[in-house]
Structures are given as structure tokens and as C-alpha cells.
Amino acid sequence: MNDEDETTDLPQDRLIDRRSFLTRMSALSAAAGAVTVLPPIGIRQAMAAVGLGNDAYAQTIRPEALADPTELTISEAATLIKKKHISPVELVQAYFDRIARYDADYYKAFNTVRGEALAEAAIAASARNLGPLHGIPLAIKDNYYTAGTLTTANSYIFEDFVPDFDATCVARLKAAGGIVLGKMQMGPLATTRATTPDGIVTTRNAWTPNNASTDPGGSSSGSATATAGRMATSSIGTQTGGSITAPSNAQALTGLKPTVGRSPLYGIVPLTYTRDHPGPLARDAKDAAIMTQVMAGPDPNDPRTLGLPPVPDLVKAATPVRKGGAYALRWPTTIGVIPGFLNGTSATAVARAAMLQTFASLGATIVDVTLPPDWDLLTGGSFNNVRLPERSEPFLEFLKQDVRLFGVSLNSWMQGLFLGGEDYLKGQRAKFVLMQQVLDDLYAQCDVVVQTSPVPFDILGLPEIAFNIGFSPNSDGLPVPIGAIFGGMPFAEDRLLSLVGAFQAVTDFHLKRPADPVVALAARSIGGGQTLRLTAEDVEALSE
């Protein structure tokens, strides 16, 4: 956070040809049918950990984090581990204590807790070569292959599956020193909020842990609740239709959905090949940058990752800078505001206006933008359904074997089987019309754009970042987070992280933590023991 009057580097979105991204996406869509297969069982590849500079370490540690290790961000924990002020064993044990105390009865975030993590922490404590995530306890969504650990995707199909290799992202996190605490609850095959395969709601929002009806976000809700509920330092999820950004917004986290191909999909149970994105759900922009820096990069097992621009220094981008003695944006940035974004007088509208004012004070230019023609049509359900055949194709053998294996989420797989070829082709054409309009028209008006739904940029594979901008009390008097989403141009992860890093330097929303479940229950007991079940219609409405 040193004073920087001038920055000579440029964000990556200004160093690439946007039109080449359109060509690339066309090629990926054409190849989807050839490569959307379940990852084979094979030999795990060793992944070299990236080295991170001093920006990855915290200059100061907050007093509350010194008092409680589960409060530490990655940056803070890495600093204390490096200085031997805390050991990986102490950190893992602190999280295990919270998991034992709160998860089974309240949060319900874990599918599997890896007891061997404590032994791995002991090995890490004696290691000399410290990776950027050395000793950091992590939570992994249960659709990432994790060697020797039950990996179910919350599905009957995988209920007994134990892979013998790690997904590339998991392998890279481990190679960087990360310790996997466990596998997280999720929507069945990544379709909805976390439930059992037959639709019984499991994971709760960490901000209302005694009320199952409060949505914890999309299918990565177990990962979000573990991070927000201080049962892991950070976590990873996947996004096909909002399942990194939605749970991050719902639980006051910083979630980054990278550009399609920036992080490898190999070893992740697929949902929609052209729209699946691995990414972090973290406590702040710097932690999201550290996680992405480790996971991102080319993987020969995933053709989407090859031939991309090199991964820039995301951690540096997320590190706040000062100009003239005050915090400021790292790069001049025009933020586009879509029609209706500030309408009304609700707590959300007030928080959005205050957020934009804060960015203006940091040096951003705020402009109203016009959405491309036929935006609602091109981003709506009629064309959005072209994702469904990509969902069905890898699972054809299981559909033929027994449709009951798909539980409450069967409908969308069946819809994918029966979508006509002409509808699929029309949808693909619509996607590229939308891509042309976004790249040529929308981004002629701004550098990043606020969003009220992640779906358009999920369709297009463009990057998004979610972050907390305030709170409002719910009907029970408990604070519920208010989130925002920024969408960027291809490979704009560095710009997005820099914006949120600057915002978090001058606000403290990201530092707020939900009360422990016993405190919330002491205030008012609501819904204890209630059981919610999603119907097939609920799943269809919520499905990614």
C-alpha cells in the first residue's frame, strides 16, 4: 500500500484484441461436443506452485484476527505462519474446533471432513520451502476430484466415488501448500442451492444459520458458508449460472469468476462445458487474487486454457495503492451503470448509490450505459436453454441406466435430451450476436459494467467479481449482506480485483463477520429443526 503517484503497467483488458476472444469462443462452442466428457480416472499430474511476491503478505494484522485464528485472511495467516507466530497445526485445529461445534447442527456446509488434514498440517509445520498457501486451510466444492477423498457432487451417480487423482485446480492449491479441510455441500450436480440429491435443503446462510429458508446462494453455497462461517480460510466453487457470485453476495464474500479458460476445468464434474468456471470464494480481493493466481494458467488436459494471454500479477493488482497520500484506483476506469440499477429507495438501492459514490471518490468515472438491442431476448430463457444439451451429453450412460440417479434435478437433463437441433443452433447464433454487441457496443461505453444478474456474462464466458457493499436487517432483525457484481472485458481479472481492492481499502463491509449460531439463537430462535425440500419445479426455476 505504498504511495504510487504513477503506475506504468496496464490492465490486461487493454493489451488484448477483444475480437480474438469472439473467435476463440466460437471455436470452443464448436468443440464442446468432443470434449464435454467426465474426467477419466488417471494419474495425478504434479503441478508447480507459482511464486507470489511480498504483496501476498499482510503489512499489519488486525487485532481481532490475532485474537482468533479463524478470523485470519490468507494474507494475514501466511504472514503469521512465515514469521512462526502460528503453526499450520494450530490453524487447522482452530477450524476443526468450529466445524465440530457448529457445522452439523447449524451451518451444514461440509459433505466430508478430512481428518487427515491435521496430519498434513503437522508435515507442513516442519517444511522449509513455503508455498504461497503454505498451511492455509481450504474448503473444496464437492464436484472437484480430490484424490483419496469421497467426491459426490451431491449426486446418487457419484455417491461412492473416490477419485485417485486431483482436479488440476486442487492439485495446484495443494502444490502451493494449501491443506484441504474437506469437501463442501452443493446443489446436486451443481444445479441449485445445496440440497441432498432428492431435494432436502442442507447448507444454511452463515448470516442466518438458524433459518434454513434464507438462501445461501447458488450451488457453491457450502463453500461460501464455510468461508463466511469461519470454518475455512478460503474456498473454491464453480459457476455456470451465478454460483460463485450469488453465494458471495449472499454471504459478504469476494467471489471471482474468471474469464472462460483462465482456470482449468480438468477433474471437475461438468455441468455446461462452455459456461463452467472454477474460481474462489474469499474474504477479500487480495485473497481472491492469491487463490486465482495459484489456480490459473494453461493445463494440457483442458484445451480451453491453452493459447491465452499470460496470467498477470493479480495479487499486485488487488493490492491498494495511494496517489497523493490517499487511496485511489490503480488504473483509470469508467464504470458503466445499466438502466434501472439505482431505481427505488430500498436498502439495496441506497447501498448501490453509496458504492458508486465511493468509487467516484477513488477516481472512477461513472457513466450511464445503454444495453445492446434485444438484450432481454438474447439473455432470456429461450436462448439460455441451449446450455442444456451440453449438460445431458456427458451423462447419457447414466440417463440410460436409471433416471432416478438424477434425483430432484432430473428435468433439466431430460430437457437437454429433447431440445431440437434447430433450437440449439439458433441459441448458438444468438450467443455470438450477444457477444458482438457486448464487446463492440457495451464496452465502447465503459471499462466495467455493474450487473444485477450474472447470467449474461456466464453465457459469454466474461469475468465477474462479486463483493459486499452493505447490510440490511431481515425480518428477524439479523443483518443480511447486500452485494454487487462488476463484469469486465475478456481477461480483465486484474482490473476487477484492483477495483474491489481499492473499495475495500476505504470501507469495512468485507471485515464484518456473522454472529456465531449460538449468539443468533440466543437473540431469537427461529425455524430450528425445520426441513425444507425443493420440488422439481423449484429446481427448474433455480437451476443453473
Side-chain angles (χ1 to χ4, degrees):
M1 293 184 289
N2 295 329
D3 196 300
E4 296 186 18
D5 292 324
E6 297 291 339
T7 54
T8 56
D9 58 330
L10 291 173
Q12 196 160 85
D13 58 16
R14 290 303 180 196
L15 300 175
I16 64 168
D17 177 9
R18 284 180 284 173
R19 304 294 296 177
S20 66
F21 184 76
L22 179 64
T23 303
R24 180 180 183 82
M25 287 297 292
S26 178
L28 286 174
S29 290
V35 294
T36 51
V37 294
L38 295 177
I41 301 300
I43 299 173
R44 172 186 165 187
Q45 290 188 329
M47 301 292 173
V50 298
L52 303 182
N54 289 331
D55 284 333
Y57 296 98
Q59 293 186 350
T60 59
I61 311 295
R62 294 168 295 125
E64 57 269 34
L66 289 171
D68 180 354
T70 67
E71 275 281 350
L72 294 166
T73 64
I74 293 175
S75 182
E76 291 171 328
T79 301
L80 294 183
I81 291 172
K82 182 179 181 181
K83 294 181 177 179
K84 299 189 181 301
H85 291 169
I86 192 172
S87 75
V89 173
E90 291 174 301
L91 193 54
V92 168
Q93 186 61 61
Y95 284 114
F96 272 175
D97 289 346
R98 282 192 65 83
I99 293 168
R101 187 177 303 125
Y102 298 124
D103 189 61
D105 292 331
Y106 302 105
Y107 293 126
K108 305 180 188 298
F110 281 82
N111 258 352
T112 302
V113 178
R114 296 182 67 254
E116 56 266 44
L118 204 55
E120 294 167 0
I123 295 172
S126 60
R128 293 185 177 182
N129 297 322
L130 306 187
L133 293 173
H134 179 78
I136 303 298
L138 304 173
I140 309 297
K141 188 174 180 178
D142 207 19
N143 57 347
Y144 285 79
Y145 281 31
T146 307
T149 301
L150 189 65
T151 299
T152 72
N154 259 21
S155 167
Y156 293 129
I157 295 171
F158 296 97
E159 60 184 349
D160 299 316
F161 178 52
V162 179
D164 64 0
F165 72 100
D166 288 320
T168 301
C169 286
V170 174
R172 289 176 175 174
L173 293 171
K174 286 183 177 180
I179 296 174
V180 176
L181 292 180
K183 306 299 293 297
M184 311 316 298
Q185 284 279 333
M186 56 181 283
L189 293 172
T191 49
T192 65
R193 66 176 291 184
T195 74
T196 62
D198 59 355
I200 296 176
V201 168
T202 54
T203 304
R204 300 186 179 190
N205 190 311
W207 291 85
T208 57
N210 52 313
N211 190 342
S213 64
T214 304
D215 194 344
S219 70
S220 302
S221 43
S223 298
T225 296
T227 306
R230 306 199 329 271
M231 295 185 293
T233 310
S234 191
S235 60
I236 55 174
T238 54
Q239 177 155 324
T240 307
S243 269
I244 290 174
T245 54
S248 295
N249 278 172
Q251 304 206 46
L253 301 176
T254 302
L256 179 66
K257 182 198 80 89
T259 308
V260 63
R262 179 57 90 190
S263 297
L265 277 175
Y266 184 72
I268 300 175
V269 178
L271 183 58
T272 302
Y273 177 78
T274 57
R275 288 174 53 170
D276 288 346
H277 303 77
L281 296 90
R283 293 184 181 171
D284 61 18
K286 182 171 285 189
D287 280 10
I290 293 170
M291 294 285 284
T292 306
Q293 195 87 52
V294 169
M295 292 191 293
D299 173 13
N301 291 307
D302 185 354
R304 305 184 341 156
T305 68
L306 305 179
L308 302 184
V311 182
D313 190 337
L314 300 177
V315 180
K316 179 180 178 182
T319 302
V321 298
R322 291 180 182 270
K323 299 178 183 179
Y327 285 111
L329 299 187
R330 181 175 289 273
W331 298 296
T333 298
T334 299
I335 298 174
V337 181
I338 61 176
F341 184 73
L342 296 174
N343 286 357
T345 59
S346 67
T348 297
V350 171
R352 288 174 174 176
M355 172 200 70
L356 292 175
Q357 290 174 358
T358 299
F359 277 109
S361 71
L362 290 165
T365 300
I366 313 297
V367 300
D368 293 328
V369 296
T370 301
L371 291 174
D374 298 321
W375 176 265
D376 291 337
L377 174 64
L378 292 172
T379 61
S382 57
F383 290 133
N384 198 16
N385 284 337
V386 300
R387 74 197 189 282
L388 297 179
E390 290 185 45
R391 177 177 300 186
S392 301
E393 188 271 334
F395 290 92
L396 283 176
E397 65 174 287
F398 299 104
L399 286 164
K400 294 175 182 177
Q401 176 184 336
D402 188 348
V403 294
R404 291 173 297 180
L405 291 171
F406 293 84
V408 73
S409 60
L410 172 65
N411 282 0
S412 61
W413 268 266
M414 297 303 293
Q415 290 169 4
L417 283 179
F418 297 113
L419 187 75
E422 69 281 6
D423 292 326
Y424 182 81
L425 290 173
K426 288 177 183 176
Q428 294 300 327
R429 294 189 189 109
K431 179 169 71 173
F432 291 105
V433 170
L434 177 64
M435 176 73 80
Q436 287 177 313
Q437 291 181 348
V438 168
L439 295 183
D440 292 344
D441 299 338
L442 183 58
Y443 280 122
Q445 304 172 67
C446 60
D447 297 305
V448 302
V449 63
V450 299
Q451 297 185 76
T452 55
S453 167
V455 172
F457 275 33
D458 289 340
I459 295 173
L460 302 177
L462 295 175
E464 301 171 305
I465 195 165
F467 58 104
N468 184 243
I469 60 172
F471 297 87
S472 65
N474 68 2
S475 59
D476 306 317
L478 296 174
V480 175
I482 300 171
I485 303 173
F486 281 175
M489 288 183 273
F491 310 108
E493 292 85 7
D494 52 355
R495 187 191 291 273
L496 295 174
L497 287 162
S498 73
L499 287 168
V500 177
F503 180 80
Q504 292 175 345
V506 297
T507 61
D508 65 354
F509 303 121
H510 63 294
L511 299 177
K512 307 293 186 183
R513 300 286 182 265
D516 290 341
V518 289
V519 177
L521 285 171
R524 183 176 180 186
S525 180
I526 308 162
Q530 68 184 158
T531 298
L532 296 182
R533 182 190 294 272
L534 298 185
T535 65
E537 290 74 20
D538 294 331
V539 171
E540 187 169 350
L542 296 171
S543 175
E544 291 203 0

